[in-house]
Amino acid sequence: MAGGGVLAVDGPVSGFHSRITTSVVITCIVAASSGLIFGYDIGISGGVTTMLPFLRKFFPSVLRNKEGEGKATKPNIYCVYDSQALTAFTSSLYIAGLAASLVASRLTATLGRRNTILLGGCTFLVGAAINGGAANIAMLILGRILLGFGVGFTNQEFIVAPPKWRGAFNTGFQFFIGIGVVASNCINYGTAHRSWGWRLSLGLAMVPAAIMTVGALMISDTPNSLVERGKLTQAKLSLLKARGGKESEVEAELAELVKRNEMAKAVAGQEESPFLSILERQYRPQLVMAIGIPFFQQVTGINIIAFYAPILFQSVGLGNDSALIAAIILGLVNLVILVLICTYAAGFGWSWGPLSWLIPSEIFPMKIRATGQSISVAVNFGTTFVLSQTFLTMLCHFKYGTFLFYAGWIAAMTVFVVLFLPETKGIPLDSMATVWERHWYWGRFVKGQGQLRSPSQQGNSH
């Protein structure tokens, strides 16, 4: 399923040897494992909102609708869960994630990416604990907000793989999201008939958060991040681990990293804020993609399916247990391979699922990369918030027509990709400008940028 973040790519400097080492593999797995906490949260909320003890305690009006209390006729199944308070339980995470994503770039610049992962993991742990022990709606929402901050922080991460393997390692994030979704749906099925089952389902979110937090303690920060913060000794050790070579073999690459970092700081000191720089004409293609890709990813409706799968399956006539089993099947579709809805989920898992993380993470030059990623994550979270908050009302009023709304967006995004998104596979990060220069449309905005930049500006593209 989709998530709400972008993995920051921190690959090798062009012209220097790189290989897949144990350190690179472990670092990539730990970074991508943040998908576990997001996937678990995506899957857990929909199942919990169908549990009778949960509804009885927090949303009795929804339960009365479900049971048709006081009505002579059977309730409209499409409108049973139409409650703004109930949808706020799901959507509050994403408004918090949006806020976190806007400050995450500054945090990573100050604390480093590894420490930002630790901060996000700890915040998520606290949020899960509050949700598991919630006594009222206020505690539920507070816990979800903390989960949102955790997800927003942990989605600003790093992949250190060589260009050839960059896409494969980035898609690991999507794979972990799928594992989290399946695990949460299985847990929901097992806890659904216990009066305290919803507490266990919500509280077990601490497990993937703990896995990622402990994993973060086992890795070092990326060489670029350490150089940016002036920690050259640690940067050298990190580079040695990542390259798997001798000390003499990384000296030149470290020196180049230091040189480029100094040039980047010199240029940054002469220029305006990166939030203003990204509005410049030469960065128009990257800005459009930073907004368009996460927006289109969410208006496919994939997260809505994940959030409200049990509710949707109940709406087509399945009982509660059958709906939860169907949700498990839906989650499994994203990991390997119900008919139309599962085909739709599988298609997403093969395309927009992983690539919407990868592409925004690799298209920006260094000086605006963190800013561009923050914008991308913010758009993702903001769109998810709006859709999750309004979906149950749309389902009540438009029924199956709700999915025609998403189908229209899918058609639009297909045209957008065909016309405006160039291929970035296998392109070194510092050569990405040439992709835009050759494009039939974007070339008019960036034509000649790669040839005309000064040496200091060229250093900023790494």
Side-chain angles (χ1 to χ4, degrees):
M1 299 300 173
V6 180
L7 293 179
V9 179
D10 188 1
V13 178
S14 291
F16 290 92
H17 179 66
S18 62
R19 61 175 70 94
I20 297 297
T21 63
T22 301
S23 175
V24 168
V25 172
I26 293 175
T27 301
C28 290
I29 290 175
V30 171
S33 68
S34 66
L36 276 176
I37 67 173
F38 196 71
Y40 187 92
D41 192 80
I42 288 173
I44 209 69
S45 58
V48 165
T49 54
T50 64
M51 295 182 184
L52 298 184
F54 178 81
L55 294 175
R56 187 174 295 113
K57 183 172 182 62
F58 298 107
F59 305 100
S61 61
V62 174
L63 184 61
R64 287 194 294 271
N65 289 339
K66 185 179 178 66
E67 296 175 343
E69 183 176 298
K71 295 182 180 179
T73 60
K74 186 177 180 180
N76 182 349
I77 192 64
Y78 291 101
C79 298
V80 164
Y81 293 95
D82 182 16
S83 164
Q84 290 301 298
L86 181 62
T87 51
F89 165 69
T90 296
S91 65
S92 55
L93 181 149
Y94 301 96
I95 198 67
L98 187 157
S101 67
L102 293 177
V103 300
S105 61
R106 292 186 179 273
L107 279 177
T108 56
T110 303
L111 302 177
R113 291 178 177 136
R114 173 181 176 271
N115 290 332
T116 304
I117 294 177
L118 290 172
L119 175 62
C122 291
T123 305
F124 199 92
L125 280 168
V126 174
I130 292 176
N131 271 172
N136 50 53
I137 293 180
M139 289 184 69
L140 276 182
I141 300 300
L142 174 61
R144 294 286 291 180
I145 289 174
L146 290 175
L147 294 180
F149 279 118
V151 170
F153 292 148
T154 57
N155 280 332
Q156 296 281 339
E157 294 176 1
F158 51 89
I159 295 296
V160 293
K164 179 180 178 181
W165 299 98
R166 194 169 63 226
F169 278 108
N170 268 279
T171 55
F173 183 75
Q174 179 70 20
F175 176 75
F176 276 111
I177 288 180
I179 291 177
V181 170
V182 173
S184 62
N185 286 324
C186 290
I187 290 170
N188 278 338
Y189 180 72
T191 62
H193 294 293
R194 293 171 173 81
S195 61
W196 43 267
W198 62 270
R199 292 191 183 277
L200 183 60
S201 290
L202 295 177
L204 282 177
M206 296 175 69
V207 174
I211 291 173
M212 189 199 67
T213 303
V214 172
L217 294 172
M218 301 169 58
I219 63 174
S220 60
D221 216 332
T222 63
N224 273 347
S225 178
L226 292 167
V227 168
E228 287 170 4
R229 290 179 287 140
K231 300 184 178 183
L232 301 186
T233 301
Q234 293 174 251
K236 183 176 181 179
L237 292 174
S238 177
L239 201 56
L240 280 169
K241 290 181 180 179
R243 301 295 174 259
K246 299 178 181 179
E247 185 172 336
S248 59
E249 295 178 352
V250 301
E251 288 285 358
E253 185 173 0
L254 179 62
E256 185 66 18
L257 284 174
V258 172
K259 177 183 177 182
R260 292 176 177 179
N261 182 63
E262 290 173 349
M263 289 190 297
K265 287 182 177 179
V267 173
Q270 301 171 4
E271 296 184 351
E272 62 241 338
S273 161
F275 279 98
L276 293 178
S277 295
I278 202 172
L279 298 177
E280 294 175 6
R281 179 182 173 86
Q282 61 180 313
Y283 302 126
R284 189 73 50 78
Q286 293 94 327
L287 180 60
V288 170
M289 293 303 161
I291 296 172
I293 289 177
F295 172 78
F296 281 128
Q297 184 202 44
Q298 291 309 313
V299 293
T300 61
I302 190 66
N303 269 352
I304 298 304
I305 297 296
F307 297 153
Y308 301 115
I311 292 174
L312 289 171
F313 287 123
Q314 284 188 25
S315 298
V316 297
L318 297 179
N320 193 58
D321 285 352
S322 298
L324 290 174
I325 291 175
I328 294 174
I329 296 172
L330 180 63
L332 286 171
V333 164
N334 280 276
L335 296 178
V336 295
I337 278 285
L338 354 178
V339 183
L340 294 178
I341 200 170
C342 287
T343 302
Y344 156 84
F348 180 87
W350 296 330
S351 56
W352 278 82
L355 293 181
S356 60
W357 306 121
L358 175 62
I359 294 172
S361 73
E362 63 183 16
I363 61 176
F364 290 98
M366 180 61 75
K367 73 172 185 177
I368 58 169
R369 184 170 298 161
T371 302
Q373 289 168 339
S374 292
I375 292 174
S376 184
V377 173
V379 171
N380 196 308
F381 278 125
T383 308
T384 304
F385 168 75
V386 172
L387 294 178
S388 59
Q389 186 65 34
T390 59
F391 175 74
L392 293 180
T393 298
M394 289 181 64
L395 183 65
C396 175
H397 290 86
F398 301 116
K399 301 180 177 60
Y400 69 86
T402 301
F403 297 97
L404 298 179
F405 168 81
Y406 293 111
W409 281 113
I410 292 172
M413 64 194 261
T414 301
V415 174
F416 174 82
V417 169
V418 170
L419 295 180
F420 299 109
L421 181 62
E423 180 59 70
T424 61
K425 179 181 178 181
I427 305 296
L429 297 184
D430 51 356
S431 302
M432 199 63 69
T434 60
V435 171
W436 306 106
E437 291 175 1
R438 299 190 193 117
H439 191 269
W440 71 272
Y441 180 75
W442 299 123
R444 69 187 68 182
F445 295 95
V446 299
K447 199 67 176 176
Q449 292 296 327
Q451 290 78 19
L452 298 177
R453 288 177 298 169
S454 66
S456 60
Q457 289 174 314
Q458 290 176 4
N460 284 328
S461 67
H462 295 266

